[in-house]
């Protein structure tokens, strides 16, 4: 059975298990050391508009999937330039923030945002992907986030 959880810090996640999800051909900006460095240096901090909310998938205590997710109270550091959308929402009296984004902070580099253990293929991989997306949607509703955005993802 797959269990979904939320982690507020990459430091609580095992580096080797996380990097296995990223894979040897994955973005260096998704590697555990990079994401932990962003936390430790204060670059990614609630005061700066970044609150880690990583969705993780587990089976029998093993990390098998994840989405690097952040709760954002602004759009700084995303490189998506959605300020006009936020402005329009404000003029219409519709809240735009907070929003959840699946992204690498301050890095407009395309790459995977739905990470799955490389040994999982076919139906198993599909099941983990589905559970991660369901988990992200449920977390969006539970936290009353106004949107769920996946930034700089591959076309496929």
């Amino acid at each position: 059975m797959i269990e979904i959880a939320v982690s507020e810090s990459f430091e609580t996640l095992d580096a080797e298990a996380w990097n296995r999800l990223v894979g040897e051909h994955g973005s260096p900006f998704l590697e555990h050391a990079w994401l932990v460095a962003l936390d430790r240096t204060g670059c990614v901090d609630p005061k700066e508009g970044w609150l880690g909310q990583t969705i993780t998938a587990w089976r029998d205590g093993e990390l098998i999937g994840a989405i690097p997710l952040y709760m954002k109270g602004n759009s700084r550091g995303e490189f998506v330039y959605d300020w006009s959308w936020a402005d329009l929402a404000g003029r219409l009296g519709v809240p735009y923030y907070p929003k959840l984004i699946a992204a690498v902070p301050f890095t407009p580099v395309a790459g995977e945002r739905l990470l799955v253990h490389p040994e999982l293929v076919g139906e198993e991989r599909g099941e983990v992907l589905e559970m991660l997306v369901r988990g992200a949607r449920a977390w969006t509703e539970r936290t009353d986030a106004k949107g769920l955005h996946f930034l700089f993802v591959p076309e496929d």
Side-chain angles (χ1 to χ4, degrees), residues 28-85:
F29 298 112
L30 279 175
E31 290 179 1
H32 191 266
W34 173 260
L35 296 171
V36 167
L38 291 175
D39 281 342
R40 286 184 182 169
T41 60
C43 290
V44 175
D45 184 277
K47 291 179 247 164
E48 299 299 325
W50 295 87
L51 176 61
Q53 304 280 282
T54 298
I55 303 294
T56 55
W58 304 82
R59 181 182 293 145
D60 299 325
E62 180 183 9
L63 182 64
I64 60 170
I67 303 174
L69 201 61
Y70 294 88
M71 183 69 73
K72 291 285 293 161
N74 58 50
S75 293
R76 290 191 281 281
E78 296 175 30
F79 296 94
V80 292
Y81 308 110
D82 62 349
W83 299 101
S84 58
W85 287 104

Side-chain angles (χ1 to χ4, degrees), residues 26 65 123 126 141:
E123 273 187 42
E141 291 175 15

Side-chain angles (χ1 to χ4, degrees), residues 6 53 55 69 100 134-144:
V6 178
Q53 304 280 282
I55 303 294
L69 201 61
L100 284 167
R134 281 187 190 175
R137 285 181 172 167
W139 191 246
T140 302
E141 291 175 15
R142 183 171 178 198
T143 60
D144 201 31

